Amino acid sequence: MATTAQHTVSLDGVGPVEVSVAGYGDGDGQPFLLLHGGPGPQSVTGFAEKFAAAHDVRVLVPTHPGFGGTDRPEALTTVSGLAALYGALLDQLALTDVTVIGNSIGGWITAEIALLKSPRVSGIVLIDAVGIEVPGHPVADFFSLTMDQVFGLTFHNPEPFRIDPTTLPPAAQAIAAGNRTAIAVYAGSAMADPTLVGRLGSLEIPTLVLWGESDGIVDVDYGRAYAAAIPQAQFQLLPETGHSPQLETPDQVTHAIWDSADMDVTASAR
């Protein structure tokens, strides 16, 4: 059962930002911050509930402002701005020993959070993250694709997940359109920052990079390049899964993250 809280976070250059945060699991357990990608928070909430129940930990899932029908302050326009927002949120909540997990754009935000070098963050997990530039391996041009094409590139087996957006209720269609607008504002059409890959070399934090072998949005070579850019990163390929492993093969993701205790990403949760 999730609990939802509204937090007002003051962010330099932006002002007060309202952030909706769903919480799962043991309020006294080790905290995990789980960051969603372009489809919105519903793409990670099922995994959050499953992971929290399996390991008696606390999983917090914020909704990025502008997603899920929420408001986005006009001055909040970048992934690094979102990273600063969540760094401030961790300070406000006085959380320590936090493992940050992010999928897709959420993975990009996670990388930027790590680069803030907050002592509150003890490890990160990047799940099919976007954000870097890899020559010859661009991020798929989401904005030029039909939703049917997006499903085909996102999943190893898209059939259980494929929907016709035109059949959604008007409110759901409006949220989907808002999500798409928010992606464009934060990530741009290339979904990459040319400076990111170079900056990742300064990280000194345990990092697990998980990648679906069938990811058609960002391919496996892109994932290996992401891991290679981070000095302490461990790369793990996930078979029979695509760009959203937490949706398609959540047990694989759960086991991979928990087993990463051996490399100290989540060691204190044991």
PDB file of all heavy atoms in Angstrom, residues 128 149-162 211-217 220 238-249 252:
ATOM      1  N   ASP A 128      18.895   1.183 -18.093  1.00  0.00           N
ATOM      2  CA  ASP A 128      18.674   1.638 -19.465  1.00  0.00           C
ATOM      3  C   ASP A 128      18.555   3.160 -19.516  1.00  0.00           C
ATOM      4  O   ASP A 128      17.588   3.710 -20.041  1.00  0.00           O
ATOM      5  CB  ASP A 128      17.439   0.946 -20.060  1.00  0.00           C
ATOM      6  CG  ASP A 128      17.629  -0.555 -20.179  1.00  0.00           C
ATOM      7  OD1 ASP A 128      17.494  -1.271 -19.163  1.00  0.00           O
ATOM      8  OD2 ASP A 128      17.917  -1.014 -21.288  1.00  0.00           O
ATOM      9  N   GLN A 149       5.363   2.117 -32.686  1.00  0.00           N
ATOM     10  CA  GLN A 149       6.804   1.925 -32.872  1.00  0.00           C
ATOM     11  C   GLN A 149       7.553   2.024 -31.543  1.00  0.00           C
ATOM     12  O   GLN A 149       8.502   1.270 -31.300  1.00  0.00           O
ATOM     13  CB  GLN A 149       7.339   2.968 -33.859  1.00  0.00           C
ATOM     14  CG  GLN A 149       6.893   2.749 -35.300  1.00  0.00           C
ATOM     15  CD  GLN A 149       7.272   3.904 -36.199  1.00  0.00           C
ATOM     16  OE1 GLN A 149       7.212   5.079 -35.808  1.00  0.00           O
ATOM     17  NE2 GLN A 149       7.664   3.581 -37.429  1.00  0.00           N
ATOM     18  N   VAL A 150       7.119   2.940 -30.692  1.00  0.00           N
ATOM     19  CA  VAL A 150       7.751   3.088 -29.376  1.00  0.00           C
ATOM     20  C   VAL A 150       7.619   1.791 -28.584  1.00  0.00           C
ATOM     21  O   VAL A 150       8.589   1.309 -27.983  1.00  0.00           O
ATOM     22  CB  VAL A 150       7.141   4.267 -28.593  1.00  0.00           C
ATOM     23  CG1 VAL A 150       7.609   4.249 -27.131  1.00  0.00           C
ATOM     24  CG2 VAL A 150       7.504   5.587 -29.250  1.00  0.00           C
ATOM     25  N   PHE A 151       6.428   1.199 -28.573  1.00  0.00           N
ATOM     26  CA  PHE A 151       6.235  -0.067 -27.858  1.00  0.00           C
ATOM     27  C   PHE A 151       7.151  -1.155 -28.429  1.00  0.00           C
ATOM     28  O   PHE A 151       7.721  -1.954 -27.677  1.00  0.00           O
ATOM     29  CB  PHE A 151       4.769  -0.521 -27.941  1.00  0.00           C
ATOM     30  CG  PHE A 151       3.849   0.259 -27.061  1.00  0.00           C
ATOM     31  CD1 PHE A 151       2.789   0.972 -27.607  1.00  0.00           C
ATOM     32  CD2 PHE A 151       4.023   0.285 -25.687  1.00  0.00           C
ATOM     33  CE1 PHE A 151       1.930   1.700 -26.798  1.00  0.00           C
ATOM     34  CE2 PHE A 151       3.167   1.003 -24.870  1.00  0.00           C
ATOM     35  CZ  PHE A 151       2.108   1.719 -25.422  1.00  0.00           C
ATOM     36  N   GLY A 152       7.288  -1.172 -29.741  1.00  0.00           N
ATOM     37  CA  GLY A 152       8.129  -2.180 -30.371  1.00  0.00           C
ATOM     38  C   GLY A 152       9.592  -2.061 -29.982  1.00  0.00           C
ATOM     39  O   GLY A 152      10.296  -3.068 -29.846  1.00  0.00           O
ATOM     40  N   LEU A 153      10.067  -0.841 -29.796  1.00  0.00           N
ATOM     41  CA  LEU A 153      11.462  -0.614 -29.418  1.00  0.00           C
ATOM     42  C   LEU A 153      11.682  -0.738 -27.909  1.00  0.00           C
ATOM     43  O   LEU A 153      12.811  -0.975 -27.467  1.00  0.00           O
ATOM     44  CB  LEU A 153      11.907   0.785 -29.872  1.00  0.00           C
ATOM     45  CG  LEU A 153      12.003   1.016 -31.379  1.00  0.00           C
ATOM     46  CD1 LEU A 153      12.303   2.484 -31.670  1.00  0.00           C
ATOM     47  CD2 LEU A 153      13.078   0.126 -31.993  1.00  0.00           C
ATOM     48  N   THR A 154      10.611  -0.575 -27.147  1.00  0.00           N
ATOM     49  CA  THR A 154      10.746  -0.524 -25.690  1.00  0.00           C
ATOM     50  C   THR A 154      10.781  -1.911 -25.061  1.00  0.00           C
ATOM     51  O   THR A 154      11.472  -2.115 -24.054  1.00  0.00           O
ATOM     52  CB  THR A 154       9.592   0.293 -25.074  1.00  0.00           C
ATOM     53  OG1 THR A 154       9.674   1.642 -25.557  1.00  0.00           O
ATOM     54  CG2 THR A 154       9.652   0.308 -23.558  1.00  0.00           C
ATOM     55  N   PHE A 155      10.057  -2.865 -25.632  1.00  0.00           N
ATOM     56  CA  PHE A 155       9.893  -4.163 -24.986  1.00  0.00           C
ATOM     57  C   PHE A 155      10.439  -5.312 -25.827  1.00  0.00           C
ATOM     58  O   PHE A 155      10.344  -5.296 -27.059  1.00  0.00           O
ATOM     59  CB  PHE A 155       8.412  -4.419 -24.679  1.00  0.00           C
ATOM     60  CG  PHE A 155       7.806  -3.437 -23.738  1.00  0.00           C
ATOM     61  CD1 PHE A 155       6.976  -2.425 -24.207  1.00  0.00           C
ATOM     62  CD2 PHE A 155       8.068  -3.493 -22.375  1.00  0.00           C
ATOM     63  CE1 PHE A 155       6.416  -1.506 -23.340  1.00  0.00           C
ATOM     64  CE2 PHE A 155       7.520  -2.585 -21.495  1.00  0.00           C
ATOM     65  CZ  PHE A 155       6.693  -1.585 -21.974  1.00  0.00           C
ATOM     66  N   HIS A 156      11.001  -6.306 -25.146  1.00  0.00           N
ATOM     67  CA  HIS A 156      11.406  -7.553 -25.805  1.00  0.00           C
ATOM     68  C   HIS A 156      10.175  -8.217 -26.413  1.00  0.00           C
ATOM     69  O   HIS A 156      10.217  -8.706 -27.549  1.00  0.00           O
ATOM     70  CB  HIS A 156      12.068  -8.468 -24.778  1.00  0.00           C
ATOM     71  CG  HIS A 156      12.400  -9.827 -25.298  1.00  0.00           C
ATOM     72  ND1 HIS A 156      13.484 -10.057 -26.121  1.00  0.00           N
ATOM     73  CD2 HIS A 156      11.784 -11.034 -25.121  1.00  0.00           C
ATOM     74  CE1 HIS A 156      13.535 -11.346 -26.425  1.00  0.00           C
ATOM     75  NE2 HIS A 156      12.517 -11.956 -25.845  1.00  0.00           N
ATOM     76  N   ASN A 157       9.081  -8.224 -25.652  1.00  0.00           N
ATOM     77  CA  ASN A 157       7.800  -8.742 -26.132  1.00  0.00           C
ATOM     78  C   ASN A 157       6.743  -7.673 -25.878  1.00  0.00           C
ATOM     79  O   ASN A 157       6.188  -7.575 -24.784  1.00  0.00           O
ATOM     80  CB  ASN A 157       7.423 -10.030 -25.404  1.00  0.00           C
ATOM     81  CG  ASN A 157       6.058 -10.549 -25.829  1.00  0.00           C
ATOM     82  OD1 ASN A 157       5.546 -10.172 -26.886  1.00  0.00           O
ATOM     83  ND2 ASN A 157       5.455 -11.395 -25.006  1.00  0.00           N
ATOM     84  N   PRO A 158       6.470  -6.835 -26.868  1.00  0.00           N
ATOM     85  CA  PRO A 158       5.588  -5.688 -26.634  1.00  0.00           C
ATOM     86  C   PRO A 158       4.108  -6.016 -26.480  1.00  0.00           C
ATOM     87  O   PRO A 158       3.350  -5.188 -25.958  1.00  0.00           O
ATOM     88  CB  PRO A 158       5.809  -4.819 -27.875  1.00  0.00           C
ATOM     89  CG  PRO A 158       6.267  -5.759 -28.931  1.00  0.00           C
ATOM     90  CD  PRO A 158       7.046  -6.830 -28.221  1.00  0.00           C
ATOM     91  N   GLU A 159       3.691  -7.216 -26.885  1.00  0.00           N
ATOM     92  CA  GLU A 159       2.248  -7.487 -26.942  1.00  0.00           C
ATOM     93  C   GLU A 159       1.506  -7.272 -25.612  1.00  0.00           C
ATOM     94  O   GLU A 159       0.420  -6.695 -25.604  1.00  0.00           O
ATOM     95  CB  GLU A 159       1.998  -8.896 -27.479  1.00  0.00           C
ATOM     96  CG  GLU A 159       2.414  -9.075 -28.931  1.00  0.00           C
ATOM     97  CD  GLU A 159       1.922  -7.942 -29.826  1.00  0.00           C
ATOM     98  OE1 GLU A 159       0.730  -7.584 -29.740  1.00  0.00           O
ATOM     99  OE2 GLU A 159       2.733  -7.404 -30.598  1.00  0.00           O
ATOM    100  N   PRO A 160       2.035  -7.717 -24.467  1.00  0.00           N
ATOM    101  CA  PRO A 160       1.285  -7.504 -23.219  1.00  0.00           C
ATOM    102  C   PRO A 160       1.167  -6.038 -22.821  1.00  0.00           C
ATOM    103  O   PRO A 160       0.337  -5.699 -21.970  1.00  0.00           O
ATOM    104  CB  PRO A 160       2.113  -8.273 -22.175  1.00  0.00           C
ATOM    105  CG  PRO A 160       2.961  -9.230 -22.954  1.00  0.00           C
ATOM    106  CD  PRO A 160       3.248  -8.531 -24.232  1.00  0.00           C
ATOM    107  N   PHE A 161       1.981  -5.167 -23.433  1.00  0.00           N
ATOM    108  CA  PHE A 161       2.026  -3.763 -23.006  1.00  0.00           C
ATOM    109  C   PHE A 161       1.428  -2.811 -24.028  1.00  0.00           C
ATOM    110  O   PHE A 161       1.161  -1.656 -23.718  1.00  0.00           O
ATOM    111  CB  PHE A 161       3.491  -3.355 -22.744  1.00  0.00           C
ATOM    112  CG  PHE A 161       4.180  -4.222 -21.729  1.00  0.00           C
ATOM    113  CD1 PHE A 161       4.955  -5.310 -22.143  1.00  0.00           C
ATOM    114  CD2 PHE A 161       4.046  -3.988 -20.375  1.00  0.00           C
ATOM    115  CE1 PHE A 161       5.594  -6.125 -21.216  1.00  0.00           C
ATOM    116  CE2 PHE A 161       4.676  -4.799 -19.448  1.00  0.00           C
ATOM    117  CZ  PHE A 161       5.444  -5.864 -19.861  1.00  0.00           C
ATOM    118  N   ARG A 162       1.204  -3.306 -25.241  1.00  0.00           N
ATOM    119  CA  ARG A 162       0.775  -2.432 -26.324  1.00  0.00           C
ATOM    120  C   ARG A 162      -0.652  -1.929 -26.097  1.00  0.00           C
ATOM    121  O   ARG A 162      -1.549  -2.714 -25.776  1.00  0.00           O
ATOM    122  CB  ARG A 162       0.852  -3.187 -27.656  1.00  0.00           C
ATOM    123  CG  ARG A 162       0.941  -2.294 -28.870  1.00  0.00           C
ATOM    124  CD  ARG A 162       0.884  -3.114 -30.151  1.00  0.00           C
ATOM    125  NE  ARG A 162       1.966  -4.061 -30.310  1.00  0.00           N
ATOM    126  CZ  ARG A 162       3.138  -3.770 -30.851  1.00  0.00           C
ATOM    127  NH1 ARG A 162       3.389  -2.547 -31.262  1.00  0.00           N
ATOM    128  NH2 ARG A 162       4.065  -4.704 -30.987  1.00  0.00           N
ATOM    129  N   TRP A 211      21.017  -3.299 -18.113  1.00  0.00           N
ATOM    130  CA  TRP A 211      20.599  -3.017 -19.496  1.00  0.00           C
ATOM    131  C   TRP A 211      19.845  -4.199 -20.086  1.00  0.00           C
ATOM    132  O   TRP A 211      20.318  -5.325 -20.054  1.00  0.00           O
ATOM    133  CB  TRP A 211      21.817  -2.730 -20.376  1.00  0.00           C
ATOM    134  CG  TRP A 211      21.571  -1.563 -21.279  1.00  0.00           C
ATOM    135  CD1 TRP A 211      21.137  -1.596 -22.578  1.00  0.00           C
ATOM    136  CD2 TRP A 211      21.719  -0.192 -20.929  1.00  0.00           C
ATOM    137  NE1 TRP A 211      21.004  -0.321 -23.057  1.00  0.00           N
ATOM    138  CE2 TRP A 211      21.353   0.563 -22.059  1.00  0.00           C
ATOM    139  CE3 TRP A 211      22.111   0.485 -19.761  1.00  0.00           C
ATOM    140  CZ2 TRP A 211      21.380   1.961 -22.068  1.00  0.00           C
ATOM    141  CZ3 TRP A 211      22.141   1.861 -19.769  1.00  0.00           C
ATOM    142  CH2 TRP A 211      21.774   2.584 -20.898  1.00  0.00           C
ATOM    143  N   GLY A 212      18.684  -3.913 -20.640  1.00  0.00           N
ATOM    144  CA  GLY A 212      17.928  -4.943 -21.343  1.00  0.00           C
ATOM    145  C   GLY A 212      18.584  -5.269 -22.670  1.00  0.00           C
ATOM    146  O   GLY A 212      18.865  -4.368 -23.468  1.00  0.00           O
ATOM    147  N   GLU A 213      18.805  -6.556 -22.924  1.00  0.00           N
ATOM    148  CA  GLU A 213      19.514  -6.951 -24.145  1.00  0.00           C
ATOM    149  C   GLU A 213      18.713  -6.621 -25.405  1.00  0.00           C
ATOM    150  O   GLU A 213      19.272  -6.534 -26.497  1.00  0.00           O
ATOM    151  CB  GLU A 213      19.843  -8.444 -24.109  1.00  0.00           C
ATOM    152  CG  GLU A 213      18.641  -9.363 -24.192  1.00  0.00           C
ATOM    153  CD  GLU A 213      19.034 -10.830 -24.372  1.00  0.00           C
ATOM    154  OE1 GLU A 213      20.237 -11.115 -24.476  1.00  0.00           O
ATOM    155  OE2 GLU A 213      18.118 -11.675 -24.389  1.00  0.00           O
ATOM    156  N   SER A 214      17.403  -6.423 -25.265  1.00  0.00           N
ATOM    157  CA  SER A 214      16.560  -6.134 -26.422  1.00  0.00           C
ATOM    158  C   SER A 214      16.139  -4.663 -26.489  1.00  0.00           C
ATOM    159  O   SER A 214      15.179  -4.324 -27.191  1.00  0.00           O
ATOM    160  CB  SER A 214      15.303  -7.014 -26.391  1.00  0.00           C
ATOM    161  OG  SER A 214      15.628  -8.382 -26.398  1.00  0.00           O
ATOM    162  N   ASP A 215      16.855  -3.787 -25.767  1.00  0.00           N
ATOM    163  CA  ASP A 215      16.501  -2.371 -25.756  1.00  0.00           C
ATOM    164  C   ASP A 215      16.700  -1.779 -27.145  1.00  0.00           C
ATOM    165  O   ASP A 215      17.810  -1.770 -27.668  1.00  0.00           O
ATOM    166  CB  ASP A 215      17.364  -1.623 -24.732  1.00  0.00           C
ATOM    167  CG  ASP A 215      16.879  -0.207 -24.467  1.00  0.00           C
ATOM    168  OD1 ASP A 215      16.124   0.333 -25.293  1.00  0.00           O
ATOM    169  OD2 ASP A 215      17.258   0.353 -23.421  1.00  0.00           O
ATOM    170  N   GLY A 216      15.608  -1.279 -27.744  1.00  0.00           N
ATOM    171  CA  GLY A 216      15.690  -0.630 -29.041  1.00  0.00           C
ATOM    172  C   GLY A 216      15.710   0.883 -28.949  1.00  0.00           C
ATOM    173  O   GLY A 216      15.855   1.569 -29.968  1.00  0.00           O
ATOM    174  N   ILE A 217      15.569   1.424 -27.743  1.00  0.00           N
ATOM    175  CA  ILE A 217      15.653   2.873 -27.536  1.00  0.00           C
ATOM    176  C   ILE A 217      17.109   3.298 -27.394  1.00  0.00           C
ATOM    177  O   ILE A 217      17.569   4.259 -28.015  1.00  0.00           O
ATOM    178  CB  ILE A 217      14.850   3.301 -26.290  1.00  0.00           C
ATOM    179  CG1 ILE A 217      13.370   2.895 -26.428  1.00  0.00           C
ATOM    180  CG2 ILE A 217      14.986   4.804 -26.059  1.00  0.00           C
ATOM    181  CD1 ILE A 217      12.603   3.611 -27.517  1.00  0.00           C
ATOM    182  N   VAL A 220      22.653  -1.887 -26.483  1.00  0.00           N
ATOM    183  CA  VAL A 220      23.559  -2.441 -25.474  1.00  0.00           C
ATOM    184  C   VAL A 220      24.928  -1.765 -25.514  1.00  0.00           C
ATOM    185  O   VAL A 220      25.539  -1.515 -24.463  1.00  0.00           O
ATOM    186  CB  VAL A 220      23.693  -3.969 -25.668  1.00  0.00           C
ATOM    187  CG1 VAL A 220      24.799  -4.533 -24.784  1.00  0.00           C
ATOM    188  CG2 VAL A 220      22.365  -4.661 -25.367  1.00  0.00           C
ATOM    189  N   LEU A 238      20.545  -7.818 -18.999  1.00  0.00           N
ATOM    190  CA  LEU A 238      19.326  -8.516 -18.584  1.00  0.00           C
ATOM    191  C   LEU A 238      18.704  -9.194 -19.802  1.00  0.00           C
ATOM    192  O   LEU A 238      18.263  -8.502 -20.737  1.00  0.00           O
ATOM    193  CB  LEU A 238      18.329  -7.537 -17.958  1.00  0.00           C
ATOM    194  CG  LEU A 238      18.837  -6.748 -16.746  1.00  0.00           C
ATOM    195  CD1 LEU A 238      17.783  -5.744 -16.275  1.00  0.00           C
ATOM    196  CD2 LEU A 238      19.228  -7.679 -15.612  1.00  0.00           C
ATOM    197  N   PRO A 239      18.664 -10.520 -19.844  1.00  0.00           N
ATOM    198  CA  PRO A 239      18.135 -11.219 -21.022  1.00  0.00           C
ATOM    199  C   PRO A 239      16.619 -11.083 -21.155  1.00  0.00           C
ATOM    200  O   PRO A 239      15.907 -10.895 -20.168  1.00  0.00           O
ATOM    201  CB  PRO A 239      18.543 -12.672 -20.782  1.00  0.00           C
ATOM    202  CG  PRO A 239      18.706 -12.793 -19.300  1.00  0.00           C
ATOM    203  CD  PRO A 239      19.183 -11.459 -18.824  1.00  0.00           C
ATOM    204  N   GLU A 240      16.171 -11.164 -22.390  1.00  0.00           N
ATOM    205  CA  GLU A 240      14.741 -11.173 -22.723  1.00  0.00           C
ATOM    206  C   GLU A 240      13.998  -9.998 -22.106  1.00  0.00           C
ATOM    207  O   GLU A 240      12.885 -10.126 -21.590  1.00  0.00           O
ATOM    208  CB  GLU A 240      14.100 -12.503 -22.304  1.00  0.00           C
ATOM    209  CG  GLU A 240      14.696 -13.699 -23.044  1.00  0.00           C
ATOM    210  CD  GLU A 240      13.956 -14.988 -22.743  1.00  0.00           C
ATOM    211  OE1 GLU A 240      13.082 -14.993 -21.865  1.00  0.00           O
ATOM    212  OE2 GLU A 240      14.278 -16.007 -23.394  1.00  0.00           O
ATOM    213  N   THR A 241      14.613  -8.831 -22.171  1.00  0.00           N
ATOM    214  CA  THR A 241      13.954  -7.621 -21.681  1.00  0.00           C
ATOM    215  C   THR A 241      14.448  -6.437 -22.489  1.00  0.00           C
ATOM    216  O   THR A 241      15.500  -6.487 -23.128  1.00  0.00           O
ATOM    217  CB  THR A 241      14.198  -7.418 -20.168  1.00  0.00           C
ATOM    218  OG1 THR A 241      13.304  -6.421 -19.682  1.00  0.00           O
ATOM    219  CG2 THR A 241      15.624  -7.016 -19.880  1.00  0.00           C
ATOM    220  N   GLY A 242      13.661  -5.361 -22.492  1.00  0.00           N
ATOM    221  CA  GLY A 242      13.964  -4.194 -23.306  1.00  0.00           C
ATOM    222  C   GLY A 242      14.326  -2.974 -22.494  1.00  0.00           C
ATOM    223  O   GLY A 242      15.115  -3.047 -21.548  1.00  0.00           O
ATOM    224  N   HIS A 243      13.738  -1.832 -22.840  1.00  0.00           N
ATOM    225  CA  HIS A 243      14.112  -0.535 -22.262  1.00  0.00           C
ATOM    226  C   HIS A 243      13.534  -0.303 -20.874  1.00  0.00           C
ATOM    227  O   HIS A 243      14.018   0.558 -20.147  1.00  0.00           O
ATOM    228  CB  HIS A 243      13.651   0.581 -23.216  1.00  0.00           C
ATOM    229  CG  HIS A 243      14.098   1.948 -22.826  1.00  0.00           C
ATOM    230  ND1 HIS A 243      15.438   2.307 -22.777  1.00  0.00           N
ATOM    231  CD2 HIS A 243      13.389   3.048 -22.471  1.00  0.00           C
ATOM    232  CE1 HIS A 243      15.530   3.577 -22.403  1.00  0.00           C
ATOM    233  NE2 HIS A 243      14.310   4.044 -22.220  1.00  0.00           N
ATOM    234  N   SER A 244      12.513  -1.064 -20.520  1.00  0.00           N
ATOM    235  CA  SER A 244      11.856  -0.875 -19.216  1.00  0.00           C
ATOM    236  C   SER A 244      11.835  -2.198 -18.442  1.00  0.00           C
ATOM    237  O   SER A 244      10.775  -2.795 -18.222  1.00  0.00           O
ATOM    238  CB  SER A 244      10.422  -0.358 -19.404  1.00  0.00           C
ATOM    239  OG  SER A 244      10.418   0.910 -20.035  1.00  0.00           O
ATOM    240  N   PRO A 245      12.991  -2.669 -18.001  1.00  0.00           N
ATOM    241  CA  PRO A 245      13.052  -3.970 -17.323  1.00  0.00           C
ATOM    242  C   PRO A 245      12.202  -4.028 -16.060  1.00  0.00           C
ATOM    243  O   PRO A 245      11.685  -5.096 -15.718  1.00  0.00           O
ATOM    244  CB  PRO A 245      14.544  -4.126 -16.980  1.00  0.00           C
ATOM    245  CG  PRO A 245      15.258  -3.257 -17.955  1.00  0.00           C
ATOM    246  CD  PRO A 245      14.342  -2.091 -18.183  1.00  0.00           C
ATOM    247  N   GLN A 246      12.045  -2.905 -15.383  1.00  0.00           N
ATOM    248  CA  GLN A 246      11.256  -2.915 -14.150  1.00  0.00           C
ATOM    249  C   GLN A 246       9.782  -3.214 -14.430  1.00  0.00           C
ATOM    250  O   GLN A 246       9.058  -3.652 -13.537  1.00  0.00           O
ATOM    251  CB  GLN A 246      11.406  -1.581 -13.385  1.00  0.00           C
ATOM    252  CG  GLN A 246      10.593  -0.414 -13.921  1.00  0.00           C
ATOM    253  CD  GLN A 246      11.161   0.213 -15.174  1.00  0.00           C
ATOM    254  OE1 GLN A 246      12.270  -0.111 -15.590  1.00  0.00           O
ATOM    255  NE2 GLN A 246      10.414   1.125 -15.774  1.00  0.00           N
ATOM    256  N   LEU A 247       9.360  -3.017 -15.685  1.00  0.00           N
ATOM    257  CA  LEU A 247       8.006  -3.383 -16.096  1.00  0.00           C
ATOM    258  C   LEU A 247       7.961  -4.804 -16.669  1.00  0.00           C
ATOM    259  O   LEU A 247       7.055  -5.573 -16.360  1.00  0.00           O
ATOM    260  CB  LEU A 247       7.498  -2.414 -17.177  1.00  0.00           C
ATOM    261  CG  LEU A 247       6.891  -1.092 -16.745  1.00  0.00           C
ATOM    262  CD1 LEU A 247       6.624  -0.221 -17.969  1.00  0.00           C
ATOM    263  CD2 LEU A 247       5.606  -1.309 -15.964  1.00  0.00           C
ATOM    264  N   GLU A 248       8.951  -5.122 -17.489  1.00  0.00           N
ATOM    265  CA  GLU A 248       8.895  -6.368 -18.268  1.00  0.00           C
ATOM    266  C   GLU A 248       9.423  -7.573 -17.496  1.00  0.00           C
ATOM    267  O   GLU A 248       8.846  -8.659 -17.569  1.00  0.00           O
ATOM    268  CB  GLU A 248       9.677  -6.185 -19.572  1.00  0.00           C
ATOM    269  CG  GLU A 248       9.416  -7.269 -20.590  1.00  0.00           C
ATOM    270  CD  GLU A 248       9.950  -6.903 -21.967  1.00  0.00           C
ATOM    271  OE1 GLU A 248      10.790  -5.979 -22.086  1.00  0.00           O
ATOM    272  OE2 GLU A 248       9.522  -7.556 -22.934  1.00  0.00           O
ATOM    273  N   THR A 249      10.514  -7.372 -16.768  1.00  0.00           N
ATOM    274  CA  THR A 249      11.115  -8.481 -16.004  1.00  0.00           C
ATOM    275  C   THR A 249      11.520  -7.979 -14.612  1.00  0.00           C
ATOM    276  O   THR A 249      12.714  -7.936 -14.284  1.00  0.00           O
ATOM    277  CB  THR A 249      12.338  -9.062 -16.744  1.00  0.00           C
ATOM    278  OG1 THR A 249      13.282  -8.011 -17.005  1.00  0.00           O
ATOM    279  CG2 THR A 249      11.939  -9.731 -18.044  1.00  0.00           C
ATOM    280  N   GLN A 252      14.021  -9.957 -12.383  1.00  0.00           N
ATOM    281  CA  GLN A 252      15.432  -9.829 -12.766  1.00  0.00           C
ATOM    282  C   GLN A 252      16.057  -8.586 -12.149  1.00  0.00           C
ATOM    283  O   GLN A 252      17.197  -8.618 -11.653  1.00  0.00           O
ATOM    284  CB  GLN A 252      15.565  -9.724 -14.289  1.00  0.00           C
ATOM    285  CG  GLN A 252      15.474 -11.016 -15.059  1.00  0.00           C
ATOM    286  CD  GLN A 252      16.092 -10.851 -16.452  1.00  0.00           C
ATOM    287  OE1 GLN A 252      17.299 -10.724 -16.580  1.00  0.00           O
ATOM    288  NE2 GLN A 252      15.253 -10.850 -17.459  1.00  0.00           N
TER     289      GLN A 252
END
